[in-house]
Amino acid sequence: MRIASRLYGAALAFSLCLPLAAQGAEAARKTAPTPLSAYELYRIYGDRTWTWDTGGGRFFEEGRRFVAWVNDKGKQSFAEGKWVVDDLGQLCMRATWTNAEGAARASTCFGHRKIGKTIYQRRQPNGNWYVFRHPSVRQDDEFRKLVSLDTVSAKAHELKQILLNQEITRKGG
């Protein structure tokens, strides 16, 4: 067999393998988790309230303000701050939390990845990944806890006023 025939045969075999390699790479891209973009996160959280068992947090689009309120076993707290998103799939709530004992700054972040149309979430940095939203939203998806209604701002404002009045009373005002 001549060298030209061998090269032609090798080139033919290689060209037949390319579509298979491309299919494999495409399949890997479809199954590899990719971060949600800042825009996608903004669309999910903007002007929504994330309801929790003990309260919730409101993500205002205007000024990217974040307000939260919780009542954990009778201990009430409220938060005021900002929320930020990035193209690495991260949502962070940076706020000052206040209760009857005082105030402290905290930053809580969640990572978001998608495989196909399924979105996964975890608390950063070391939380476990779980399904945040299935392609067809299910009853128990965390995504369903994001609601349009602002259920926290009034409660946070009320608690802020109560704590302010208590502080004034303690100082003898």
Side-chain angles (χ1 to χ4, degrees), residues 145-162:
K145 295 180 180 178
L146 290 166
V147 298
S148 296
L149 186 63
D150 181 356
T151 59
V152 300
S153 291
K155 292 176 182 178
H157 180 74
E158 181 182 327
L159 180 58
K160 184 177 183 177
Q161 294 307 311
I162 289 169

Side-chain angles (χ1 to χ4, degrees), residues 30-123:
K30 287 182 179 177
T31 59
T34 57
L36 269 67
S37 69
Y39 177 76
E40 289 171 304
L41 291 169
Y42 182 81
R43 299 278 295 147
I44 289 171
Y45 289 94
D47 277 340
R48 299 263 193 283
T49 300
W50 191 357
T51 59
W52 309 318
D53 293 338
T54 58
R58 180 72 179 177
F59 301 88
F60 290 95
E61 285 184 356
E62 185 179 326
R64 295 275 179 98
R65 282 187 325 114
F66 175 73
V67 176
W69 172 84
V70 295
N71 183 352
D72 189 16
K73 299 175 186 152
K75 187 175 180 179
Q76 295 185 67
S77 302
F78 74 92
E80 294 176 311
K82 300 276 185 191
W83 62 284
V84 295
V85 293
D86 64 28
D87 284 328
L88 299 175
Q90 188 161 264
L91 159 79
C92 292
M93 298 156 279
R94 298 179 178 142
T96 300
W97 284 87
T98 306
N99 61 26
E101 298 167 7
R105 292 193 48 76
S107 182
T108 305
C109 299
F110 288 86
H112 298 79
R113 303 284 183 273
K114 61 184 171 184
I115 298 175
K117 294 185 178 183
T118 302
I119 299 174
Y120 296 85
Q121 181 186 65
R122 76 170 181 168
R123 186 165 179 166

